[in-house]
Amino acid sequence: MRNNDVYPFSAIVGQDKLKKALLINVVNPSVGGVLISGEKGTGKSTLVRGLGNLIQDMEVIELPLNATEDMLIGSIDIEKALVEGKRTINNSILMKANGNILYVDEVNLLSEAIVNSLLEVSQSGISRVEREGITFMHESLFILVGTMNPEEGGLRPQFLDRFGLFVEVLGSDDLYERINIIERRIQYEENPSLFIQQWKYEDSKIWNKIKKARELISKIVVSESMMKVASEISMKANCSGHRGEIVMIEASKAIAALYGRKNITIDDLKEASQLALPHRMRDNPPDMSESDDIEKEDNNDANNEENNIDNNDQNTPENISDDMDNDQDDDGNDENRQNDNLDSIGDSDNETIDDIGNLFKVKDLDIKPLDRKRRKGAGRRSIVKTSELQGRYVRYTFPKGKYKDIAFDATLRAAAPYQDSRNKEGLALSIKKQDIREKIREKRTGSTILFVVDASGSMGAKKRMESVKGAIMSLLNDAYQKRDSVGMIAFRKEEAELILNITRSVDLAYKKLKDLPTGGKTPLTLGLYKGYEILKNAMKRNKDIIPVLVLVTDGRGNVSIGGKEPLEEALQVSKQISIEGIQTIVIDTEQDFIQLKLAEEIAKEMGADYHKLEELKAEEILNVVRNHI
Amino acid sequence: MINKKKLYPFTAIVGQESMKKALILNIINPSLGGVLIRGEKGTAKSTAVRAFAELLPQREEVEECMFSCNPDDISSLCGDCLERYKKGEDFSKRMGNMKVIDLPVSATEDRVVGTLDIEHAIKKGEKRFEPGILAMANRNILYVDEVNLLDDHVVDVLLDSAAMGVNTIEREGISYVHPAKFILIGTMNPEEGDLRPQLLDRFGMVVDVVGEKEIDNRVEVIKRRIEYEEDSHAFALKWEENQIELREKILHAMEILKKIRCHEDMYKTAAMISIELGVDGHRADISMIKTAKTVAAFDGKLEVDKKHMIEAASLVLPHRMRRRPFEEGVVEFSKVEELIRGIKDEK
């Protein structure tokens, strides 16, 4: 709003890479913006705002999360329409952003409709408005700067690719840097205007550097050999598409210009690759250890970068599974050996508590496979159009039937051009039926995933339960980001117990999972029935949920509830579940030499997706569930 | 009702010292970032926040400004006030009470950020901004009971404003910016789900409250409650002196806050603690120092000492430990204390 109290860009300690990325964009806007990913409290936003204040010919235009579509792309100006009877367009965010920096804080939380409009414009550089009887076109070239905290989930791949550069920011580990950060912040807060005054000179030095670099950049000629090197780097880093190398070249031009040079060096390219490639690299880059040319180092650098992102995205489950590894080494082995023996006994009443399996490594649980999945699903997973009067109002539509949720702004705009010819009865405005528009709201609704887990004695065998727990946990991790709700039913002995009611507290789910014991008979029907009831109730409470039942069992039900054959009963309930429209997934844990394929039969009856546990690496189990949602 | 019931006096709350302290520190220094109070039901969380309203000091505000702008703080004036300031108009000032503004969990996004004034648009054909809860919260306390149950998109906008001290509206034909600097106070029952880490980190402090364990204290809680229910006026009168005393202590602390000195070693310790505990980002270090200074001010001291640092650390660190979603957040506070006690005494 007011620029007088902005923390000076030059006073920010460290974060050199991010500063550089921002400067590169300001010098050469064709680089295409920056996505800043990082933990909380690392000065992401402060830097961007500081930059806006430092650059005298550009402004930082903010796209707040609460923005509605009409504000982003523009709509008819009500006042003008009423007073002058003219159809004009109001000043939209995209208009204001033209030639400036468009800043989106928490860009990964932006609503789908807004992201789509934004993608369209950032591709073409032109915004077309076709609404409310207005056709209008204007240029909208801006530097897109977004921040995100990967803990809150990722970005769609197309959107990710739109950002020219990517920087991951971390807090400093250096004691003296940290002290310095505290000191400056305290100084600033005690007397902002004095502090800003003290840094004015430093800021102006940076501004001069930018101006010089901007002059220089048009004189930079990119040699063919450099282009070749760039595409080689990009290829070796296994980047998708060609944007990687193009951005790399554009960024190197800016880097060279910032150094005051007219030629691009290998070092410039190297620096550029570290910023331009990390978010464009695909999984499993080919082994680069054989490469022995100059780019080798670049690749490795970029690759390290990549690993960092992965770790960050994942909240480092690596650490978690490492911890678990250790746990197992301590006490798990003995238990498991016991289980092996128990296997032959089958339904023993002995109870064991298995650790959560460590069957997956970070790479398998990478966020990227999920993103790729999501592309197919076009984000249906987490965002649904909601029928209730809740959620974020993103755009309007023509009403069908009774009016429930009138979009007043859109209605007024629709009515505005006709006011001259209407009888207004003393009011400033006359609204007719045909003017009325309704709101379209979006709500982030995760799915409600209920695990129905067989915890009978047969599951305790051969680390089965460990793998099962590992798989469930990988889903929990994902549910955390996607705001899914999770619940868990365990069936064993004579009962099916709701060990975790449907909740969003993933921590709680984790604890319950960890303490889940196995042992006893297999009351499969009971488990299924309970799961059915719970989900049905949840659906009654909230129509917008996406119910998913994940049955994890070997199918060897041996407890009857109604006096019939246990299997027959189980099949009956399964059918009921399928009728109710609950999405189901069966994960078969059967592993004996002679297979009864009972779980498969149940899966058929439920119309469920059927998978064997062996075939499910952590990565796959997630995808299985995601495919459904 | 002829005789309106008096609020339960803040000073009459038994125990819950760290919660009370956290609330007080935030009035003394509104830039500390608010408090999140975690605890089971019936631990006086809400009572404390409501009672707290009575202690809030008066401050100057621009008359007829819907954001209660501070006439002396030019950099955070709202658009209207800034215009008047630039034209050289004089503000008519008045003394106003700092207030506790409720943000109900059911609040819709448009009520929170503000929206198009429909009535005005239809009657006058003009666009006008109808302020929301964030507008009222400027320079006041924003209280969210059961903050963990808040809708995600409301949390998003809340975070935006809490971070910037400004509410930016781009919706329903309205493009508007106004100051929204507030002290965020939230309560939650952890059994009902987590708070998003992002929102958690925005709270300067977190206090965990539990029911009193001492039998004597529990009896005292009951006694006072019964006494209050029987005659709230008499009860309030009985505690009046304590209330006045606390209010004065707060005012004094506010006065000396700017003069509090903090030795470089404290900065170093704060940074060391953060590195040792592996906290995310730098907010913890900065909060620790600011809070320690405020603790010192409330203590009536002009120099931050180790005791102040320990208390500050106990308030600002619990929720900032680098904690993966599935790890249990155990704070090894003894380590923190050790580090602070290790600071060399000054000659």
Side-chain angles (χ1 to χ4, degrees):
Chain A
M1 176 171 47
R2 280 157 297 277
N3 289 334
N4 19 7
D5 263 3
V6 176
Y7 193 90
F9 186 82
S10 52
I12 290 161
V13 181
Q15 306 297 15
D16 294 329
K17 210 166 154 188
L18 175 54
K19 285 183 191 164
K20 194 63 171 278
L22 290 169
L23 292 185
I24 289 171
N25 268 289
V26 173
V27 171
N28 185 3
S30 27
V31 167
V34 203
L35 175 63
I36 310 164
S37 164
E39 56 189 35
K40 309 164 283 267
T42 39
K44 294 175 292 212
S45 311
T46 315
L47 254 176
V48 179
R49 285 169 219 278
L51 179 76
N53 209 32
L54 177 146
I55 300 177
Q56 282 155 25
D57 57 1
M58 276 182 172
E59 259 183 283
V60 174
I61 304 295
E62 201 169 333
L63 173 58
L65 291 176
N66 69 43
T68 47
E69 195 189 51
D70 57 286
M71 295 307 291
L72 179 70
I73 62 180
S75 60
I76 192 168
D77 189 317
I78 308 179
E79 276 184 41
K80 277 240 173 73
L82 291 178
V83 180
E84 299 167 27
K86 278 186 197 153
R87 285 178 204 242
T88 44
I89 195 148
N90 67 0
N91 206 1
S92 70
I93 295 178
L94 286 176
M95 268 185 228
K96 287 187 256 179
N98 190 24
N100 289 316
I101 298 169
L102 183 64
Y103 176 54
V104 195
D105 207 4
E106 308 286 345
V107 64
N108 50 339
L109 301 179
L110 217 53
S111 84
E112 207 77 353
I114 301 285
V115 169
N116 291 338
S117 313
L118 204 56
L119 273 176
E120 217 180 286
V121 178
S122 69
Q123 262 157 18
S124 58
I126 286 169
S127 172
R128 284 187 186 79
V129 187
E130 286 283 1
R131 50 197 295 154
E132 288 144 359
I134 298 182
T135 304
F136 187 75
M137 226 161 85
H138 67 88
E139 198 172 54
S140 186
L141 292 168
F142 48 83
I143 301 173
L144 184 61
V145 178
T147 67
M148 63 177 276
N149 183 342
E151 279 176 19
E152 305 279 321
L155 277 188
R156 272 161 59 191
Q158 308 101 297
F159 197 24
L160 194 62
D161 196 46
R162 274 297 132 202
F163 288 93
L165 309 180
F166 179 95
V167 183
E168 196 204 2
V169 293
L170 290 165
S172 167
D173 278 339
D174 182 80
L175 181 62
Y176 292 93
E177 212 170 279
R178 283 195 92 104
I179 294 174
N180 215 341
I181 290 169
I182 306 174
E183 273 175 350
R184 288 198 193 158
R185 187 75 213 182
I186 300 277
Q187 270 178 33
Y188 165 76
E189 287 191 16
E190 273 171 4
N191 192 343
S193 39
L194 179 69
F195 187 80
I196 291 164
Q197 200 56 42
Q198 284 166 346
W199 287 92
K200 215 166 195 162
Y201 178 63
E202 289 298 314
D203 261 11
S204 70
K205 275 207 308 214
I206 297 177
W207 171 233
N208 286 333
K209 204 168 132 188
I210 294 171
K211 281 194 290 192
K212 273 195 198 121
R214 279 177 176 173
E215 277 165 29
L216 208 55
I217 198 156
S218 54
K219 294 179 192 132
I220 292 180
V221 184
V222 186
S223 71
E224 196 148 321
S225 66
M226 280 301 158
M227 290 184 199
K228 221 167 141 191
V229 174
S231 46
E232 259 173 61
I233 293 175
S234 173
M235 233 165 65
K236 288 216 168 108
N238 199 20
C239 289
S240 42
H242 296 279
R243 195 169 285 135
E245 50 242 62
I246 295 167
V247 170
M248 225 158 92
I249 295 285
E250 291 297 338
S252 333
K253 277 160 69 179
I255 290 169
L258 280 165
Y259 283 122
R261 280 191 268 105
K262 278 185 223 164
N263 61 315
I264 298 175
T265 67
I266 290 286
D267 280 340
D268 297 339
L269 266 182
K270 189 169 145 189
E271 201 176 341
S273 73
Q274 289 175 18
L275 297 165
L277 298 187
H279 57 306
R280 296 202 161 86
M281 291 172 69
R282 286 181 293 208
D283 304 333
N284 313 321
D287 191 9
M288 283 174 288
S289 53
E290 285 161 40
S291 67
D292 49 0
D293 19 68
I294 20 164
E295 310 92 83
K296 180 179 162 191
E297 211 184 328
D298 305 343
N299 282 335
N300 288 345
D301 278 356
N303 199 28
N304 286 339
E305 192 91 4
E306 168 77 342
N307 286 337
N308 284 341
I309 303 161
D310 287 346
N311 288 344
N312 209 23
D313 277 351
Q314 266 325 111
N315 304 319
T316 344
E318 195 169 33
N319 297 343
I320 299 172
S321 40
D322 278 356
D323 284 352
M324 274 160 201
D325 261 343
N326 297 339
D327 282 357
Q328 259 157 250
D329 290 344
D330 293 345
D331 48 61
N333 283 345
D334 293 6
E335 252 176 35
N336 292 328
R337 238 169 274 137
Q338 263 178 19
N339 292 349
D340 282 355
N341 296 336
L342 286 178
D343 191 25
S344 48
I345 309 169
D347 289 345
S348 154
D349 262 359
N350 282 351
E351 265 183 21
T352 52
I353 299 180
D354 286 274
D355 275 319
I356 293 172
N358 60 313
L359 70 170
F360 46 84
K361 292 230 181 292
V362 193
K363 276 290 173 190
D364 294 344
L365 238 183
D366 204 320
I367 194 153
K368 271 175 249 134
L370 288 178
D371 276 350
R372 204 174 295 147
K373 280 297 161 207
R374 222 185 310 166
R375 196 189 292 173
K376 287 182 192 156
R380 249 187 318 145
R381 184 203 77 276
S382 64
I383 297 177
V384 294
K385 302 276 186 289
T386 157
S387 51
E388 317 217 340
L389 306 186
Q390 286 174 336
R392 173 173 293 152
Y393 165 41
V394 283
R395 55 200 300 185
Y396 68 85
T397 182
F398 291 91
K400 294 183 199 94
K402 262 196 292 181
Y403 312 133
K404 274 186 300 196
D405 191 11
I406 293 175
F408 291 106
D409 57 322
T411 304
L412 293 184
R413 284 196 300 266
Y418 307 104
Q419 294 308 308
D420 263 1
S421 54
R422 284 184 191 171
N423 175 11
K424 284 180 271 195
E425 287 164 4
L427 295 172
L429 249 161
S430 147
I431 292 173
K432 295 247 162 81
K433 208 171 167 186
Q434 66 266 28
D435 303 331
I436 295 197
R437 303 285 184 271
E438 275 196 320
K439 288 179 178 175
I440 294 181
R441 294 173 186 263
E442 268 184 16
K443 193 180 178 185
R444 272 171 199 270
T445 308
S447 19
T448 299
I449 304 172
L450 183 66
F451 291 91
V452 179
V453 184
D454 186 344
S456 65
S458 58
M459 294 288 291
K462 288 187 185 160
K463 293 190 177 181
R464 260 310 73 168
M465 206 54 197
E466 228 181 271
S467 319
V468 168
K469 284 184 177 180
I472 295 175
M473 204 190 110
S474 57
L475 250 176
L476 285 179
N477 202 347
D478 191 59
Y480 173 79
Q481 294 186 344
K482 303 297 179 322
R483 320 267 149 71
D484 289 334
S485 305
V486 289
M488 209 185 310
I489 288 172
F491 56 94
R492 58 192 209 96
K493 291 184 177 170
E494 306 284 329
E495 55 181 23
E497 193 192 350
L498 178 63
I499 55 172
L500 178 70
N501 205 345
I502 290 174
T503 176
R504 273 176 39 176
S505 170
V506 179
D507 267 352
L508 207 58
Y510 172 67
K511 278 180 205 135
K512 296 281 187 181
L513 180 67
K514 203 173 163 194
D515 299 338
L516 175 68
T518 45
K521 288 184 171 175
T522 317
L524 174 60
T525 317
L526 217 53
L528 279 175
Y529 190 70
K530 186 126 192 169
Y532 165 69
E533 272 188 343
I534 301 274
L535 279 179
K536 224 177 104 184
N537 280 335
M539 284 154 79
K540 258 187 220 156
R541 278 197 301 272
N542 183 354
K543 281 182 289 181
D544 288 327
I545 66 164
I546 305 163
V548 183
L549 187 148
V550 182
L551 174 67
V552 188
T553 184
D554 55 11
R556 299 183 176 181
N558 55 13
V559 178
S560 142
I561 46 171
K564 288 190 200 154
E565 263 302 293
L567 180 67
E568 199 181 311
E569 281 182 357
L571 289 176
Q572 257 177 14
V573 178
S574 306
K575 200 163 184 184
Q576 194 58 40
I577 291 173
S578 118
I579 290 166
E580 202 62 44
I582 295 168
Q583 303 181 28
T584 43
I585 295 160
V586 172
I587 294 163
D588 190 354
T589 64
E590 185 176 52
Q591 55 169 4
D592 289 354
F593 185 64
I594 304 164
Q595 303 208 333
L596 302 175
K597 298 192 187 261
L598 298 173
E600 204 173 340
E601 210 170 313
I602 290 166
K604 247 181 233 155
E605 201 64 39
M606 290 202 283
D609 235 15
Y610 169 80
H611 299 273
K612 278 185 168 312
L613 187 65
E614 287 78 23
E615 296 155 8
L616 287 172
K617 279 201 305 194
E619 178 186 352
E620 286 152 1
I621 199 171
L622 284 173
N623 291 343
V624 167
V625 176
R626 290 287 160 225
N627 269 338
H628 265 253
I629 300 168
Chain B
M1 207 158 60
I2 312 154
N3 232 347
K4 211 176 153 225
K5 205 167 178 177
K6 280 269 183 190
L7 272 174
Y8 192 91
F10 189 79
T11 43
I13 296 168
V14 181
Q16 312 296 18
E17 296 307 329
S18 56
M19 168 172 70
K20 288 194 269 187
K21 192 64 165 283
L23 290 171
I24 291 168
L25 294 176
N26 272 285
I27 323 185
I28 298 172
N29 185 355
S31 75
L32 291 184
V35 204
L36 173 67
I37 306 168
R38 289 192 294 213
E40 308 149 20
K41 287 208 180 320
T43 38
K45 296 182 301 245
S46 305
T47 312
V49 179
R50 306 253 170 247
F52 178 60
E54 279 208 320
L55 294 174
L56 298 178
Q58 290 209 317
R59 72 267 198 283
E60 263 193 345
E61 59 189 34
V62 176
E63 211 168 342
E64 285 174 17
C65 171
M66 62 174 135
F67 309 105
S68 326
C69 277
N70 180 356
D72 297 325
D73 183 5
I74 306 306
S75 69
S76 56
L77 289 181
C78 72
D80 285 353
C81 289
L82 191 68
E83 200 129 295
R84 286 170 62 188
Y85 172 78
K86 279 182 182 157
K87 279 187 200 153
E89 279 176 44
D90 236 2
F91 298 126
S92 37
K93 302 173 191 173
R94 64 162 181 223
M95 293 306 278
N97 261 328
M98 201 171 177
K99 290 180 287 282
V100 175
I101 307 293
D102 266 292
L103 173 62
V105 170
S106 60
T108 54
E109 194 181 357
D110 44 337
R111 271 307 296 144
V112 176
V113 297
T115 185
L116 174 71
D117 186 336
I118 297 298
E119 199 183 316
H120 194 81
I122 292 178
K123 280 196 181 142
K124 299 266 165 66
E126 287 164 14
K127 279 193 290 191
R128 196 168 75 177
F129 173 63
E130 183 177 288
I133 292 172
L134 288 176
M136 291 193 285
N138 188 37
R139 299 187 70 212
N140 285 318
I141 288 168
L142 185 65
Y143 173 49
V144 196
D145 200 8
E146 310 280 359
V147 63
N148 50 336
L149 302 183
L150 217 54
D151 247 0
D152 270 332
H153 49 270
V154 176
V155 170
D156 294 345
V157 296
L158 200 60
L159 282 175
D160 251 14
S161 309
M164 296 316 306
V166 162
N167 178 26
T168 310
I169 301 108
E170 290 284 356
R171 51 185 294 127
E172 299 175 48
I174 294 281
S175 186
Y176 199 84
V177 181
H178 70 76
K181 281 188 183 167
F182 48 84
I183 302 173
L184 186 60
I185 294 182
T187 61
M188 67 178 270
N189 182 351
E191 285 169 7
E192 286 170 20
D194 298 327
L195 202 59
R196 269 164 57 190
Q198 198 86 348
L199 183 55
L200 193 59
D201 192 57
R202 282 288 166 208
F203 285 99
M205 310 171 185
V206 167
V207 274
D208 287 296
V209 294
V210 282
E212 279 293 330
K213 291 269 157 44
E214 296 261 325
I215 198 81
D216 288 348
N217 286 341
R218 294 191 77 103
V219 171
E220 191 60 33
V221 171
I222 306 170
K223 260 202 212 153
R224 287 191 195 165
R225 194 76 217 181
I226 291 172
E227 204 183 325
Y228 167 74
E229 293 295 342
E230 274 170 0
D231 187 346
S232 65
H233 287 264
F235 189 75
L237 207 61
K238 185 173 154 190
W239 286 91
E240 187 60 31
E241 208 172 302
N242 295 51
Q243 294 279 98
I244 291 171
E245 196 185 315
L246 179 57
R247 232 175 264 145
E248 272 166 9
K249 205 173 160 194
I250 291 172
L251 284 176
H252 178 68
M254 290 170 88
E255 265 164 43
I256 63 171
L257 182 64
K258 282 237 161 188
K259 298 180 204 143
I260 307 291
R261 290 182 306 272
C262 186
H263 194 268
E264 179 106 357
D265 282 350
M266 302 290 174
Y267 288 7
K268 193 172 159 190
T269 313
M272 267 161 68
I273 291 171
S274 291
I275 292 174
E276 186 83 13
L277 297 182
V279 298
D280 274 347
H282 296 271
R283 221 168 261 146
D285 322 19
I286 295 162
S287 284
M288 213 185 305
I289 297 296
K290 281 163 66 180
T291 307
K293 287 171 105 176
T294 315
V295 174
F298 186 62
D299 201 17
K301 302 275 164 54
L302 287 173
E303 170 99 38
V304 173
D305 66 24
K306 292 179 190 175
K307 214 174 75 230
H308 304 140
M309 278 294 281
I310 292 175
E311 187 166 356
S314 75
L315 291 168
V316 304
L317 287 178
H319 57 304
R320 292 212 164 93
M321 319 284 304
R322 193 184 293 260
R323 180 168 160 273
R324 303 301 161 202
F326 305 116
E327 274 175 76
E328 313 201 8
V330 187
V331 188
E332 285 179 47
F333 201 70
S334 52
K335 219 195 263 168
V336 175
E337 275 200 55
E338 213 173 279
L339 274 170
I340 296 174
R341 290 196 199 286
I343 305 172
K344 268 181 244 118
D345 280 310
E346 275 174 75
K347 317 94 228 178

